[in-house]
Structures are given as C-alpha cells and as structure tokens.
Amino acid sequence: MPSLESEIEGIIETFTNNLKQRKFKGSRDLALNSVQLWKKIIGQMKWQNARELMDKIKEIGKDFQETSPSETVIGNMTRRMLKIVRDEYDMLQKGKQEDSDLQESLQKILTADKVDVDYSKNIPLLKPAIMEHIGEFLIELESSEIDISAQALEHIHANEIIMTIGYSKTVFAFLKTAAKDRAFQVIVAECAPFYHGHKLAADLAEAQISTTLIPDSAIFAMMARVNKVIIGTHSVMANGGLKAVCGTHTLALAAKHYSVPFVVCAPMFKLCPEYVCSLDQDGFNQFASPEEVLSNDEGMLVSRVNVYNPIFDYVPPELVTLFISNTGGNAPSYIYRLLSELYHPLDVQL
C-alpha cells in the first residue's frame, strides 16, 4: 500500500502533467481543479502548525507557477489558500468568530499587514476550520458564473447593440440571461487567427439572440453603431489592466475613440496582484504556431520573415470602464481594494 507522502506526490504529479498538456477547459475549470487539489493536499498532508503548512503551500505553489507561468489563476489560488490559513489562524487565536463580511478599515490594511505574525503555535481546531473555509470557497467558485449573469439586466437594455470578441463562457451566460427579458443585438468579432468568435456567434444564434459575425478588421467601422462592449478576460492585473485574448486591445481603443462603455466580466478568482510589462512577453504571453498566420506553403516568404502569433493582449486600465465580478460592479481604480481583501501583502511574491 502506497504511503501518504507518495500518494500526495502522485496527485501533484498528475495535476502538473495536466497543466503542461493544457487539459483544463478555461480559467474556471483550472481554478476549481486547483482548489480541489489544495483541499486534498492540506487534508492529507502532515503538518504541525500554520507556519509549516504555509511554507509547504508556498513551495508547491511556486512549482505549479513555474510549470505554467502564464496561467495566473494558479498563483491566485495558491495565495487564496495562504490567506485562508492566515484568516482562520487569526480567528482561532482571538478565540472568537468575526463576521466574515465585516469590512476592514483602510488604516488596518495599510499598517497591520506590514508585519508577519508568528504562526508557529499549534491550534487543534485549525485544520477543520481551514477545510470548511475551502469548502465555502469552492461553492463561491462554482456559482461565480451564475452570480455574474444575475447582474445582466442592470447593464443590458432593450434594443441595444453589444459588441464582443472571441469566445467567453461568462459572456455567453451573461448575454443569454439578459436575452430572457430584453431584445438586443450582438456583434461578435471573430478573433483571428483562432476564430473563437465563430463558436460564440453560433451559440448566441442557437439561443435565439440576433447575432452578426464580423472580421477583426471591421471593428472600428462597426463601433460607431455600438452601445456597449462586453468582454471576458484571462486575468485582471493589479493596476486594473487586462490580460485578454489577442485583438482585445484593438477593440478597447476603438471603444475609447467612440466613447463606448467597455465592460469586462471577470470573476474574483481572475484578479491577480501582479503587474505586467508589455516588454516581458515571455512571462506574460503565450505564443501559438505561426502556421495560422502564414502558411508553410509560402516557402519563399516564410524563409525571409519572422512571424509571431501571440495569444494574449495587454489592455491598460484607462481603456476599461467597468468590471463586473461575482460580488458586483467596480471601476478599475477599485481593484487595489479588492486585492487587499483577497490576498495578504506578504503572499504577493510566492
């Protein structure tokens, strides 16, 4: 019979292999699998106190992040686990349950979190408290899409023309919910060279929503008719900027030119406490095969040019009007406040 340590190593290795082979279907699927993995690890692993547990979480989380640097959700979930451990330890130390919805004062955020607490005290009730908190967090993750969709009628009005790009499950659910009570039109940019927009256009048409599919080159020409842009995103960075599908920056610039509201549907698990530099394409971006852009059949031309096919765009925060998360709507300038509630400052760098 395999030992407990080897069983945990096997679970971690399976997750790492799935990560390398990109077997997860989107950020939400990756977030759910990450948290379920952490729940198993924390539940089965031997640890004496919160400090020892946090050190192990950081060590494993850092390995996950190095396996797939562009998947910010992995780092986000690791930081959430560390925050859960810290919160439960603090609550049990004080010997009383605090209201989890109680807003921390700005002064406390700026001062109290600067110094790390000694987490070496052995607290018997810590493990069950952490497991219960993780269970609640899993429920929050599973219902995030529904919670965002529930806000659709507040943002989409009758006879509006909505533009979006590529394919996003969250945006599809958002538009589908609004279509139950409102009649509106959707323009979908196809998001070449991957053409994910084709799938979204087909799904919207199947849901009886009036849909027009356009090439990316027509975004600026069509924007004058649009009332609102609604998109999904891969990650929301610490300054409120976006790491989104390639072509989103073009869409955002066109929306800015015509003063069209640019709305981003992003659940809280996509909020990342890191900043991004457009020059750091290795750490920030992923690159697909240039075959999609320039076929190998063009032998003479291929040998003379370098072709890059990036998957993501960076969209600066000044181009974003509103974020709609599972907890409500917020401006890009409020992201720092949300991050202070989600992650501990000492866990930003794993």
Side-chain angles (χ1 to χ4, degrees):
M1 190 172 176
S3 66
L4 194 61
E5 288 295 326
S6 61
E7 191 178 330
I8 292 168
E9 285 174 10
I11 295 168
I12 293 170
E13 189 178 346
T14 303
F15 180 83
T16 305
N17 289 336
N18 289 339
L19 199 58
K20 287 176 181 175
Q21 294 165 22
R22 298 182 186 177
K23 287 189 176 180
F24 299 107
K25 298 174 182 177
S27 298
R28 183 168 168 271
D29 185 39
L30 178 57
L32 281 167
N33 278 279
S34 296
V35 176
Q36 285 163 357
L37 175 71
W38 281 121
K39 192 176 182 181
K40 286 180 184 175
I41 292 170
I42 294 167
Q44 295 178 18
M45 191 166 56
K46 292 179 181 178
W47 47 275
Q48 299 299 320
N49 52 56
R51 171 57 60 199
E52 189 181 333
L53 175 61
M54 285 162 60
D55 289 342
K56 287 182 178 179
I57 290 173
K58 282 189 178 184
E59 184 185 339
I60 298 167
K62 197 171 183 180
D63 289 340
F64 286 157
Q65 205 167 28
E66 286 173 358
T67 301
S68 186
S70 61
E71 291 292 353
T72 52
V73 169
I74 299 166
N76 295 347
M77 294 305 97
T78 303
R79 294 181 187 97
R80 280 306 295 269
M81 293 304 108
L82 291 165
K83 184 72 161 67
I84 287 170
V85 173
R86 289 178 187 274
D87 287 349
E88 292 302 328
Y89 182 88
D90 291 341
M91 279 188 181
L92 292 169
Q93 269 286 79
K94 290 173 184 175
K96 60 180 181 178
Q97 288 288 341
E98 293 180 353
D99 184 5
S100 59
D101 294 325
L102 190 65
Q103 293 291 320
E104 293 180 285
S105 68
L106 186 59
Q107 184 180 359
K108 185 179 177 183
I109 291 166
L110 292 173
T111 57
D113 290 336
K114 296 292 182 185
V115 182
D116 202 4
V117 181
D118 179 23
Y119 292 95
S120 59
K121 187 177 178 182
N122 191 354
I123 301 176
L125 295 174
L126 183 59
K127 192 168 190 173
I130 291 170
M131 298 304 283
E132 185 183 347
H133 197 149
I134 293 173
E136 291 170 3
F137 181 49
L138 273 169
I139 294 168
E140 181 191 324
L141 284 178
E142 288 166 356
S143 63
S144 59
E145 197 174 277
I146 298 166
D147 294 337
I148 291 173
S149 300
Q151 303 170 59
L153 293 176
E154 298 172 22
H155 301 280
I156 297 177
H157 308 291
N159 301 318
E160 280 192 331
I161 298 175
I162 311 293
M163 185 180 280
T164 187
I165 188 169
Y167 184 82
S168 167
K169 289 180 183 177
T170 309
V171 171
F172 173 63
F174 191 82
L175 296 172
K176 192 177 178 181
T177 303
K180 291 176 183 177
D181 296 291
R182 306 267 161 85
F184 56 90
Q185 297 178 49
V186 180
I187 298 172
V188 182
E190 64 182 2
C191 192
F194 309 107
Y195 304 107
H196 297 315
H198 290 201
K199 177 170 169 51
L200 180 61
D203 289 352
L204 289 170
E206 194 176 327
Q208 306 301 313
I209 299 172
S210 177
T211 308
T212 305
L213 182 69
I214 62 168
D216 298 340
S217 56
I219 287 173
F220 192 83
M222 298 295 286
M223 188 59 74
R225 300 178 56 198
V226 173
N227 300 105
K228 203 171 275 117
V229 174
I230 300 176
I231 65 155
T233 184
H234 181 274
S235 306
V236 179
M237 311 315 290
N239 61 345
L242 306 179
K243 177 183 176 180
V245 68
C246 204
T248 307
H249 192 204
T250 304
L251 186 67
L253 288 169
K256 184 77 171 178
H257 180 83
Y258 285 104
S259 300
V260 175
F262 192 82
V263 180
V264 181
C265 294
M268 295 292 277
F269 67 81
K270 290 190 177 183
L271 266 63
C272 178
E274 295 176 346
Y275 293 88
V276 71
C277 172
S278 295
L279 298 174
D280 182 24
Q281 288 293 304
D282 291 335
F284 165 73
N285 224 325
Q286 288 180 8
F287 293 87
S289 169
E291 167 72 18
E292 302 283 351
V293 181
L294 189 65
S295 173
N296 288 327
D297 296 337
E298 304 285 344
M300 290 294 291
L301 185 58
V302 170
S303 63
R304 295 176 184 175
V305 296
N306 290 324
V307 182
Y308 298 97
N309 188 10
I311 293 176
F312 299 117
D313 257 356
Y314 172 66
V315 181
E318 56 267 22
L319 300 180
V320 180
T321 309
L322 182 72
F323 286 105
I324 302 174
S325 71
N326 42 308
T327 59
N330 297 107
S333 59
Y334 195 73
I335 292 297
Y336 82 96
R337 184 70 170 85
L338 296 174
L339 288 170
S340 68
E341 294 171 7
L342 290 175
Y343 314 116
H344 194 280
L346 295 171
D347 298 331
V348 171
Q349 294 295 328
L350 291 176

